[in-house]
Amino acid sequence: MATVKESYDRAKEVKQFEDSKLGVKGLVDSGITSIPRFFVLPPDALSGVRRRPNQDVVPIIDLSGVDSDLLRPTIVENVARASRELGIFQVVNHGIGVDFLERVLGAIGGFHEQRPEAKALLHRRDLYRVSFFTDLHIAPGWR
């Protein structure tokens, strides 16, 4: 018996997710048991990404000396490389106090714990306004 190839409309699923304005936390709170398909990159999407040894280790970028004309270019290059190759890095010696960071994390957590209706008032896709969005869909090939 022949199988019918499953039809998948990624744009439609993304639009439904965006229109719900629930965000990822809303999905989790709804009890989903699997990751929505549009969040999963197809295997060929990473074909051009270089693999490195210990790629599962998040690079640490030390900002001490960022004001030094001698050290700044190396720090900038480290940030650029980590951004290009992994898309994530940890920053240390940035001068931001632990108390402030804890307050920021508390405010972020408080925001996401609000009722979905309250968060929906701020949900938008405009990157040039203060807002809340849960994902950033970048066009294929744009990096």
Side-chain angles (χ1 to χ4, degrees):
M1 173 161 64
T3 59
V4 176
K5 186 167 183 162
E6 179 184 349
S7 174
Y8 173 61
D9 187 343
R10 183 180 187 282
K12 180 179 176 183
E13 283 192 18
V14 170
K15 182 168 179 7
Q16 288 172 337
F17 172 72
E18 287 297 322
D19 289 348
S20 77
K21 297 185 179 186
L22 292 176
V24 174
K25 174 129 180 19
L27 286 176
V28 172
D29 291 347
S30 74
I32 65 164
T33 57
S34 63
I35 297 172
R37 190 169 171 182
F38 63 86
F39 280 120
V40 180
L41 287 174
D44 61 334
L46 298 175
S47 62
V49 176
R50 294 182 312 176
R51 299 285 182 203
R52 298 178 327 162
N54 298 323
Q55 190 166 349
D56 57 338
V57 175
V58 175
I60 297 174
I61 310 288
D62 187 345
L63 292 187
S64 59
V66 74
D67 293 329
S68 160
D69 290 339
L70 184 62
L71 297 176
R72 185 181 310 111
T74 301
I75 294 169
V76 169
E77 178 52 34
N78 289 341
V79 169
R81 185 180 318 108
S83 299
R84 263 191 324 270
E85 295 178 5
L86 292 174
I88 188 170
F89 53 91
Q90 178 182 355
V91 177
V92 297
N93 296 320
H94 43 66
I96 301 172
V98 172
D99 290 345
F100 179 78
L101 292 174
E102 287 175 354
R103 288 195 320 265
V104 168
L105 290 174
I108 292 168
F111 172 79
H112 287 286
E113 291 298 326
Q114 293 184 91
R115 294 182 345 271
E117 302 81 28
K119 292 187 291 186
L121 296 173
L122 297 174
H123 190 278
R124 61 184 51 89
R125 299 301 292 172
D126 183 353
L127 297 177
Y128 300 102
R129 294 179 58 189
V130 175
S131 61
F132 143 73
F133 58 90
T134 58
D135 60 338
L136 181 59
H137 297 288
I138 298 174
W142 185 84
R143 291 180 194 209

